[in-house]
């Protein structure tokens, strides 16, 4: 196993990696995409990684990430990797795109059962074939300098998932993007995903992250998603990275009128895991639901940042973020809601609930509501607490032992989020994973 | 079956039980009555093992064993059951799952195998009829969104499934209309056997028209001020509790 290299100047470190990468490109370095990369690394050199002085990173100190010299992964190296290594992440019956350290693996993927007209494959090949979706949306939805991590992702933007669904297509089976981290080097993995859902089309997208060895690597993923008029999308994310690894994700979704987005995000892994979701409700009659569950153990830090931007009238947003924190783990929830002046009759609800299982676990929660319209309904609430003594006693008084009573109540707290996943096979798997994590390997229930 | 001797308990520095002595034998029904704040519910909770109360003196033998030395779950597995005055809501845990976990824990303690899904369902359906509980309440989270009457009937339903040796019903009648009261009482009566006993904690005599007690005890200020037969309940209905308080006050010891 390679030793992890400590660095002091991340800007210079990644610039020198970028220069070597650029030299390997030869003629390809003249493209518009490469111009974007070059601009990104230039900006990243100026900004470096964020510090706690930045309000957006107040509770999440990323200096452990900044001090490691991660090696950007620049090409596919998935030979010898099998799906069994990542059991039970691969979802049976799903259309599947598999990425090894951020690069598309054709042999592990299966998309042949998809209806005609749907483009589903690697972003690299969509770029090569100059797909219309790429020109129109890539790098156009998420703000280029939203965070330094977006800059770093863009600097090494090479591959990721590309999904383009034309108008009026209803997909029954989910499409899974499966990201596998493998190998010894402290890798910088930078998948870039682009999803475009046509008017009135419907799909379920499952985004899963797994690993083979417990080691330090950084997954720095950016996902851009566009929903056409009346589109209906469920997005389910399972972040099951190594607890030694780092996971920083930025997803932005732009929604058109009368579309519906439900995102359920379950975070189990990561030494530091930061999950940003920004949704722009850019039409009337949109329904946007964001749910999250974080399970922290050991010294993990799991951070969820959401932004819901109500730009137009008559939209609804619902958020339920829950965390269960054990050991000396830490949780962060920051939920921003903007209601623009034009966005009358907005109905926005945000709930954050945390269960602390140990005295050393901590939670920082911060709702941020900025409301510029006067005829709106916005509510938010946060609770942080322990298991309810009355409930524990009630279960014990019927013969259930104390540790099982605690397990049952803890699992019930978590299942409130998991049960919102519609796809049954996925929901069952998530329940098992959550069970396993919460019971530390002991069996709960039947 | 149950031998309570000079039981004292407090919460914080407030003494609530001031020397309870009571014997309950198999096959008997005892009613514990008394005004609000007399310690009836505390006695029920202490017997079930609620640790918010600290037992400062006295002993409780249950089938020859030291009850106070057992965890709440051990007491339940040994056949003690408390029907809660305020049944607790447990979001996210279905009534069936809860009951199955409880029943199998108790069966395991008795050296019996777990019931399989079919046997369990059969048992549950039979017992639900006993308290006329709607089957949809099985798959719903425990007590969540149940009406007051449904919660109380659900307690008796749990009791019917778990088949306790000693059942303590803590104000099971409160909040029930007359029809629900009759259903609950019928359920309890059908579960009465020679080898089990019931302690009915109640504020009013009403329930005792349906569950007829062998003994009635009146609690005042944390101890039993008077015991008698079922006719004592009728006297209380007529005269209230005040005459007992006056009766008792000169005797109470303030150390």
């Amino acid at each position: 196993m390679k030793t992890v290299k400590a660095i002091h100047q991340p800007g210079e470190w990644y610039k020198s990696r970028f220069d070597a990468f650029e030299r390997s490109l030869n003629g390809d370095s003249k493209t518009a995409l490469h111009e974007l990369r070059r601009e990104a690394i230039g900006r990243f050199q100026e900004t470096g990684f964020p510090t706690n002085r930045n309000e957006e990173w107040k509770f999440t100190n990323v200096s452990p990430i900044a001090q490691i010299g991660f090696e950007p992964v620049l090409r596919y190296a998935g030979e010898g990797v099998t799906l069994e290594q990542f059991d039970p992440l691969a979802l049976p019956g799903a259309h599947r795109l598999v990425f090894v350290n951020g690069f598309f693996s054709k042999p592990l993927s299966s998309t042949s059962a998809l209806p005609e007209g749907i483009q589903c494959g690697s972003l690299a090949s969509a770029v090569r074939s100059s797909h219309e979706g790429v020109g129109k949306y890539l790098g156009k939805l998420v703000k280029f300098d939203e965070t330094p991590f977006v800059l770093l992702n863009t600097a090494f933007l090479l591959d990721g998932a590309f999904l383009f669904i034309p108008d009026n297509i209803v997909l029954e089976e989910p499409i899974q993007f499966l990201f596998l981290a493998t190998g010894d080097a402290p890798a910088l993995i930078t998948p870039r995903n682009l999803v475009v859902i046509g008017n009135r089309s419907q799909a379920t997208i499952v985004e899963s992250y797994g690993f083979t060895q417990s080691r330090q690597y950084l997954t720095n993923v950016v996902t851009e998603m566009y929903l056409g008029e009346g589109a209906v999308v469920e997005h389910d994310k399972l972040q099951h990275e190594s607890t030694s690894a780092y996971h920083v994700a930025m997803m932005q979704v732009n929604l058109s009128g009368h579309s519906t987005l439900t995102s359920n995000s379950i975070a189990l892994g990561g030494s530091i895991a930061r999950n940003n979701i920004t949704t722009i409700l850019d039409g009337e009659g949109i329904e946007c639901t964001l749910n999250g569950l974080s399970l922290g153990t050991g010294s993990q830090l799991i951070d969820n940042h959401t932004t819901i931007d109500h730009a137009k009238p008559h939209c609804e947003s619902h958020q339920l973020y829950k965390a269960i924190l054990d050991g000396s783990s830490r949780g962060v929830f920051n939920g921003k809601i903007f209601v623009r002046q034009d966005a009358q009759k907005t109905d926005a609800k945000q709930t954050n609930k945390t269960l602390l299982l140990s005295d050393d676990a901590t939670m920082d929660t911060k709702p941020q509501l900025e409301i510029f319209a006067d005829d709106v309904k916005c509510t938010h609430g946060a609770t942080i607490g322990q298991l309810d003594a009355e409930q524990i006693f009630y279960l014990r008084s019927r013969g259930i032992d104390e540790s099982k009573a605690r397990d049952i109540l803890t699992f019930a707290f978590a299942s409130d989020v998991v049960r919102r996943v519609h796809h049954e096979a996925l929901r069952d798997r998530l329940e098992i994973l959550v069970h396993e994590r919460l019971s530390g390997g002991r069996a709960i229930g039947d | 079956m149950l031998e309570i001797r000079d039981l004292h308990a407090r919460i914080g520095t407030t003494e609530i039980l001031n020397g309870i002595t009571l014997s309950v034998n198999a096959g008997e029904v005892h009613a514990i009555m008394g005004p609000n704040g007399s310690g009836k519910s505390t006695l029920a909770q202490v017997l079930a093992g609620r640790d918010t109360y600290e037992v400062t003196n006295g002993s409780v033998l249950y089938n020859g064993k030291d009850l106070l030395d057992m965890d709440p779950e051990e007491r339940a597995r040994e056949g003690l059951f408390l029907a809660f005055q305020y049944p607790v809501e447990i979001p996210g845990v279905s009534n069936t799952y809860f009951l199955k976990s409880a029943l199998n824990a108790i069966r395991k303690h008795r050296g019996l195998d777990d019931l399989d899904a079919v046997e369990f369902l059969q048992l549950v359906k039979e017992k639900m009829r006993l308290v006329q509980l709607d089957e949809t309440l099985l798959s719903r989270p425990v007590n969540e969104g149940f009406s007051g009457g449904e919660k109380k009937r659900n307690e008796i339903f749990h009791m019917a499934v778990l088949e306790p040796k000693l059942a303590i019903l803590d104000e099971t009648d409160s909040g029930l209309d007359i029809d629900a009261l009759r259903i609950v009482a019928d359920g309890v009566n059908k579960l009465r056997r020679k080898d089990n006993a019931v302690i009915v904690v109640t504020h009013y005599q009403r329930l005792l028209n349906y569950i007829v007690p062998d003994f009635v005890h009146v609690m005042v200020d944390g101890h039993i001020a008077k015991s008698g037969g079922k006719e004592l309940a009728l006297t209380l209905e007529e005269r209230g509790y005040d005459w007992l308080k006056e009766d008792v006050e000169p005797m109470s010891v303030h150390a």
Side-chain angles (χ1 to χ4, degrees), chain A residues 55-326:
Chain A
E55 191 61 27
E56 289 298 302
W57 299 86
K58 191 173 162 188
F59 303 114
T60 298
N61 176 7
V62 298
S63 64
I65 294 174
Q67 286 161 14
I68 295 172
F70 293 105
E71 291 289 348
V73 180
L74 301 172
R75 60 192 59 80
Y76 177 69
E79 294 81 11
V81 175
T82 63
L83 281 184
E84 286 69 36
Q85 285 173 276
F86 301 93
D87 199 54
L89 293 186
L91 198 59
H95 313 288
R96 189 167 54 228
L97 296 181
V98 178
F99 299 85
V100 178
N101 292 346
F103 283 80
F104 181 62
S105 167
K106 198 162 195 297
L108 297 178
S109 300
S110 71
T111 56
S112 54
L114 277 168
E116 233 166 286
I118 293 180
Q119 294 284 313
C120 181
S122 84
L123 181 69
S125 74
V127 168
R128 271 197 304 277
S129 65
S130 306
H131 191 284
E132 54 167 315
V134 172
K136 206 166 165 191
Y137 299 107
L138 182 65
K140 306 274 167 49
L141 300 179
V142 71
K143 227 169 98 200
F144 177 66
D145 56 355
E146 176 80 28
T147 78
F149 287 96
V150 173
L151 291 172
L152 190 60
N153 172 279
T154 307
F156 296 101
L157 193 170
L158 283 153
D159 204 359
F162 178 72
L163 173 63
F164 186 94
I165 302 181
D167 296 346
N168 304 312
I169 293 186
V170 175
L171 266 188
E172 299 293 336
E173 289 302 325
I175 297 180
Q176 184 176 31
F177 303 161
L178 182 50
F179 296 92
L180 309 173
T182 183
D184 279 340
L188 169 65
I189 301 168
T190 55
R192 181 69 167 232
N193 306 318
L194 179 59
V195 175
V196 179
I197 310 291
N199 299 327
R200 296 165 302 278
S201 286
Q202 300 187 10
T204 298
I205 297 160
V206 181
E207 187 187 350
S208 313
Y209 295 82
F211 65 102
T212 52
Q213 288 132 294
S214 185
R215 65 190 174 89
Q216 286 184 317
Y217 59 85
L218 168 60
T219 298
N220 177 16
V221 54
V222 173
T223 301
E224 296 178 278
M225 197 183 291
Y226 176 84
L227 268 57
E229 297 272 337
V232 179
V233 169
E234 177 169 322
H235 166 257
D236 300 309
K237 176 174 174 180
L238 172 64
Q239 186 270 95
H240 194 235
E241 305 265 26
S242 157
T243 48
S244 309
Y246 303 94
H247 180 93
V248 180
M250 171 75 212
M251 176 165 96
Q252 177 157 334
V253 188
N254 287 31
L255 293 93
S256 309
H258 304 283
S259 62
T260 303
L261 171 74
T262 305
S263 172
N264 302 304
S265 172
I266 293 173
L268 304 176
S271 168
I272 297 174
R274 164 73 170 246
N275 198 39
N276 270 48
I277 300 185
T278 297
T279 59
I280 315 284
L281 279 48
D282 197 15
E284 297 195 13
I286 294 169
E287 225 184 292
C288 172
T289 304
L290 308 180
N291 302 314
L293 174 67
S294 307
L295 304 184
T297 184
S299 58
Q300 281 184 285
L301 192 170
I302 303 179
D303 175 351
N304 277 297
H305 265 62
T306 64
T307 303
I308 297 184
D309 191 342
H310 282 268
K312 296 281 160 65
H314 298 285
C315 295
E316 273 181 46
S317 68
H318 308 274
Q319 294 180 78
L320 174 65
Y321 276 81
K322 290 186 133 187
I324 300 175
L325 304 173
D326 205 349

Side-chain angles (χ1 to χ4, degrees), chain B residues 20-193:
Chain B
I20 303 267
T21 297
L22 176 68
S23 296
V24 177
N25 297 309
E28 294 175 350
V29 174
H30 289 244
I32 296 182
M33 303 184 69
N36 288 329
S38 60
K40 308 184 299 286
S41 283
T42 299
L43 176 62
Q45 295 256 324
V46 166
L47 291 176
R50 184 79 164 105
D51 63 4
T52 23
Y53 303 97
E54 186 195 350
V55 174
T56 51
N57 201 14
S59 66
V60 181
L61 283 183
Y62 172 65
N63 291 326
K65 292 179 187 164
D66 181 359
L67 184 76
L68 301 176
D69 199 34
M70 298 181 199
D71 285 334
E73 56 268 35
E74 241 183 298
R75 301 178 195 204
R77 291 169 193 176
E78 289 284 339
L80 188 134
F81 180 91
L82 171 66
F84 280 53
Q85 182 181 3
Y86 303 108
V88 182
E89 295 187 7
I90 310 198
V93 178
S94 79
N95 210 9
T96 327
Y97 179 75
F98 174 33
L99 200 50
K100 199 174 173 186
S101 303
L103 180 64
N104 285 334
I106 291 170
R107 286 178 64 88
K108 192 177 171 193
H109 184 74
R110 293 176 186 166
L112 300 168
D113 287 337
D114 283 4
L115 285 188
D116 67 31
V118 177
E119 293 168 322
F120 179 72
L121 204 67
Q122 239 168 1
L123 175 74
V124 155
K125 287 196 169 166
E126 176 200 326
K127 303 295 186 183
M128 284 195 109
R129 277 196 293 274
L130 202 66
V131 284
Q132 301 179 23
L133 201 61
D134 193 307
E135 267 187 42
T136 58
L137 299 184
L138 272 180
S139 53
R140 297 239 310 260
V142 182
N143 292 322
E144 195 183 39
F146 287 25
S147 70
E150 284 171 339
K151 284 182 184 175
K152 295 300 177 84
R153 274 187 281 161
N154 196 42
E155 293 290 281
I156 303 306
F157 162 59
H158 283 194
M159 171 181 156
V161 171
L162 302 179
E163 297 184 322
K165 291 180 192 141
L166 174 63
I168 303 164
L169 312 183
D170 188 4
E171 306 218 10
T172 298
D173 51 335
S174 67
L176 290 185
D177 61 33
I178 194 72
D179 292 327
L181 184 76
R182 202 175 285 141
I183 291 167
V184 163
D186 276 354
V188 173
N189 286 330
K190 279 178 193 151
L191 297 169
R192 284 182 67 174
R193 292 204 312 254

